[in-house]
Every structure is written in C-alpha cells, then in structure tokens.
Amino acid sequence: MKENDVIIKDVAEILHDRKHLAYVRSFGCQLNVSDGEKIKGLLKRIGYDFTDDEKQADIIILNTCAVRESAEERVFGIIGSMKKLKEENPSLIIGLAGCMTAQAHITEKIKKSYPQIDFVMGTSAINSLPKLLLDCLRGEKFSADTGEYDDFSENTEQVRESKFKASVPIMFGCNNFCTYCIVPYVRGRERSRKPEDIINEVKNLVSKGYKEIMLLGQNVNSYGKDLGNNMTFPELLRETDKIDGDFIIRFMSSHPKDASRELIDTIFSSKKIARHFHLPLQSGSNSVLERMNRRYTIEQYLETVDYMRSYDPDFSLTTDIIVGFPNETDEEFRETLDIIKRIRYDNIYSFIYSRRTGTKASEIADTIPEEVKSRRMRELLEVQRTVSTENYRRFVGRRMRVLVDGISKKRNGYVTGKSDEFIIAEFVGDRSMIGSFVEIEVTDSMNWAVTGRII
Ligand code: SAH
Ligand code: SF4
Ligand code: F3S
C-alpha cells in the first residue's frame, strides 16, 4: 500500500494541470460492480471526478464480464466504437478490467487488434491501477497486469453507486467448476475475507445510513472454509444480524449442495435477514445436473425447498436456469418446466447456454439446433409468467415492508422499491421516500410487481 501511495502522488502530479474526468462502466454480476466501486475509489484518490458520458472522459475503464459470449461481444462492440473517441482525443486513456482480461486469448486479441486500449488490469490486480496509469502517462503504448494477487484491497476507499444499498463481498473466487461456467477460471479459487473486516465494513455502512447490505460471493455457503473454519456462513450471518440499526441483510449466491438446515434456521430466527432465498437450480433434470457437475439431485434440492417452506409455505424463492445445455433432450427440458411449476418461484433468471472456451462443457459436441433452444426459452418464460401471475396474488391484502429505490418509470406519481421478499412494489409516493423503508398494504398484483398503498 505504501508503494501505491508514492505512485498515486506521481500520477496526481502529472495530471495536476489537466481536467480529469473518469468514466467507469461495470458489466456482469454484483461482485464485478463492487470491484468497479473500488476502481472508482482509487481514481478518486488520484484526483479524478466522474462522468456518465464517455465523450467527456479523460479516462475510460471497462470492467468486463465473461460469463456468456453475448457479454463479451457487447464489450468488443463498445471497444470498437471507442476507436473514434481516441482519434478525436489522443490523450484519452482506455483501460480494460474485469473477467474478460483473465483469458489469455482475449488479452492477445486486444493487444494485437485493438490499439485504442492502453492497459489491461486483471481481476485481482485492481491495486495496480495507479502503476498502469503512470506507465500510460509516461508514454508506454500498452501495459498489462493480469497477475494473481492475494489482496482484498481491504483499505481501498470505494465510490459506491448507491447511498442506501451496499454490496459487501465476503469472498472471492469459486471452487465448484460447474462444467458450463468460466467463473472459476477467471476468478480463481475461493478466498474468504476475515470476519472482523466484513463486520466492521457492515457496521460502518449502517452507521452511514445504508439500509440494505448484500453479502456477496459465488457460493457464500462455503464462506470461511479456507480460513480454517473459524467462522461459517451461518455464524457470519448471525454476527451481522446482531449489528444495531434499521437495515436488511441479503446474500447471494448459494450453491444448493451447501444450503444447510443451519443456514435456513438462521434466516428464520434472525431479525434482519430477508425472507427470500436465491437458489440457482440450473436444470430440473438429474441427468443434466450430473453433466453440469452440480453435485445435487432434484430430490435433494426439493428437500431443501420443503424445509424452507415448512417454516413458511409462501416463502419467496428465485432461481437461475440454463436452457439448452449441450444435448439437453426435450424430455430433460420438460423436467425443468415441471419443477418450475412445482416450486413456484417468484422470479427466474434464465439464460441460453453459451459455450465458454476452456470449460469442460465446451468439449461436448452439441447437436441441439439454436432455434430449438430459443423455442425452449420462450416456453420457459411463458410458464414462469403464469406462475408469477398466480404467485403474486398471495400478497394482495397483506402488508409489506418496502425499501424505496426510485421513481416508477411506468406510472406517473408512483415510486418503486423492493419488498423484504424481493418483490417489486409500486405505490403513490414521492422522491423524499427514496432510500427509506415504507410499510404498504398490497392492493393489486401483476406478473412482475405488486401495487399498494402506504399504511
Ligand atoms: N455463482 C453463482 C452464479 C454465477 S453466474 C451461482 O452459482 O449461482 C450467474 C448465472 O449465469 C449462473 O447461475 C448460470 O445460470 C448462468 N451461467 C453461467 N455460465 C453460463 C453459460 N456458460 N451459459 C449460460 N448461462 C450461464
Ligand atoms: Fe460458476 Fe458453478 Fe461457481 Fe456458480 S458455483 S460461479 S455456476 S462454477
Ligand atoms: Fe461475469 Fe465475472 Fe461476474 S464472469 S458474472 S463478472 S464473476
């Protein structure tokens, strides 16, 4: 860190007589958004202000995602369009960060074919940003740091996107190697932050008025295993729950194979943990789950769901589904539809399978045509629409606590927010409510939200 202070001073001195505006854009999951907030923190220390308009920027950082091909194509499209910006403003600095940078074939391609990119910064090399910038300012054509560092940037100031909702990563990396997934390759093995660092961060956020704390990890259930088991995830949750203040605790994601009864008991005996669980299913077919290396069966998954619903039959669940995993048969797909109807998720996040170089599944020769995959996707969404419409009716006439997060874009005079159950709620309100909890009574429901009135 000391060394970085010196470099930051050097960079600040070079920039001293210029205007400096930074444009940082994060793609992908909330962990990546959280990294983007750290990148912004470092830029702020150097002396940058921020802009939402890339045309105004003196430095642009694209914090990328590699989880599906479409995510990468989007970034390549944006990089392409930045060539013109660079021609108009040769002193503009453009850097690439995030998960795409961890793939050698991508960094090679960038170096060879995209001269508008000045530097590449790996997912665990955020603290190298000042050094990479210094290289650029001293005239280096291209610099890169994609090294793997065991550094959580514990003392890095963050420029957070929200004044009332905060993401708190509790661990980085993943050990699960689901056969379709690139994350373990681009984010490395599981590394947990120390419990005291996490608790202190949450206390600090709550004292600043944050109302929602989202604990993040690729599989939060294996939190602490690399720390010699001096604290498990349910224990960490109980410690977080003890912190004084008016706030809600959420967490993401949970691997179903590790969602223990202790964890579920912890939710229901807590004061502040949301009564909602995001439990990625991926497929409703045991044979597909096996090919995905998910290491649970549908029967085990249902047992977990039944246990949650033994506490509360209406307990709110959401999930992730992959459609069109290599050689998924019609019958296997039907099994997914059946499970979705049976579990009655409030919401599903569904994705068409995307082949990722380097993963096990990418070696399977796939015989399912693209149009079959698209048709399955449409069918899945149709089934879920019906389930959500029916499900959301259960809230009508009930009370809900909602954290208001903005003005409704759909209805004039309405505000929008998320209920404790992670349901979108809209009701008549005004800007002054943004960032606070409001109690409402639900008066009506749709397939994507409920409406209500303030009590
Ligand atoms: N660690 C989290 C999620 C990681 S990525 C978890 O295990 O739940 C978020 C979601 O993207 C996954 O749950 C999966 O549904 C989807 N996904 C990951 N790799 C994919 C791929 N190659 N093609 C399509 N969807 C994918
Ligand atoms: Fe990917 Fe599986 Fe790890 Fe989630 S648990 S990040 S899906 S490998
Ligand atoms: Fe994407 Fe990386 Fe997250 S691949 S989903 S940004 S961990």
Side-chain angles (χ1 to χ4, degrees), residues 180-216:
Y180 51 82
C181 186
I182 194 79
V183 172
Y185 301 92
V186 295
R187 286 280 174 173
R189 296 296 71 71
E190 285 171 0
R191 284 122 33 225
S192 302
R193 288 176 68 195
K194 289 202 200 88
E196 56 271 28
D197 288 336
I198 297 167
I199 296 294
N200 284 338
E201 183 175 345
V202 176
K203 279 185 180 158
N204 193 3
L205 287 163
V206 171
S207 74
K208 284 186 184 148
Y210 277 84
K211 295 285 186 258
E212 178 184 295
I213 303 294
M214 172 74 89
L215 304 178
L216 290 179

Side-chain angles (χ1 to χ4, degrees), residues 104-139:
H105 69 277
I106 299 272
T107 39
E108 275 311 304
K109 182 169 160 182
I110 293 287
K111 203 173 161 186
K112 231 170 87 196
S113 317
Y114 295 88
Q116 62 268 49
I117 298 295
D118 298 288
F119 70 89
V120 166
M121 175 172 75
T123 49
S124 64
I126 291 177
N127 269 328
S128 307
L129 175 61
K131 172 76 174 65
L132 290 165
L133 244 147
L134 191 61
D135 290 348
C136 293
L137 292 167
R138 287 184 174 159

Side-chain angles (χ1 to χ4, degrees), residues 164 404-407 415 430-436:
F164 54 92
V404 182
D405 55 26
I407 300 291
V415 291
D430 60 59
R431 202 165 278 284
S432 71
M433 294 170 183
I434 296 174
S436 17

Side-chain angles (χ1 to χ4, degrees), residues 27-32 64-67 99 182-183 186-187 218:
F27 303 82
C29 65
Q30 278 158 300
L31 273 161
N32 220 36
T64 62
C65 168
V67 80
C99 294
I182 194 79
V183 172
V186 295
R187 286 280 174 173
Q218 295 298 350

Side-chain angles (χ1 to χ4, degrees), residues 174 176-178 180-181 183-184 218-219 255 282 294:
C174 182
N176 288 305
F177 290 96
C178 304
Y180 51 82
C181 186
V183 172
Q218 295 298 350
N219 175 20
H255 197 301
Q282 313 299 359
R294 288 290 284 176

Side-chain angles (χ1 to χ4, degrees), residues 10-11 21 38 81 84 108 124 127 153 158 177 263 274 279 297 314 324 343 370 372:
D10 287 349
V11 178
L21 280 178
K38 284 183 190 148
S81 71
K84 196 159 157 266
E108 275 311 304
S124 64
N127 269 328
S153 318
Q158 294 171 53
F177 290 96
L263 172 60
L279 196 60
T297 61
D314 281 343
I343 293 179
E370 285 309 310
V372 171

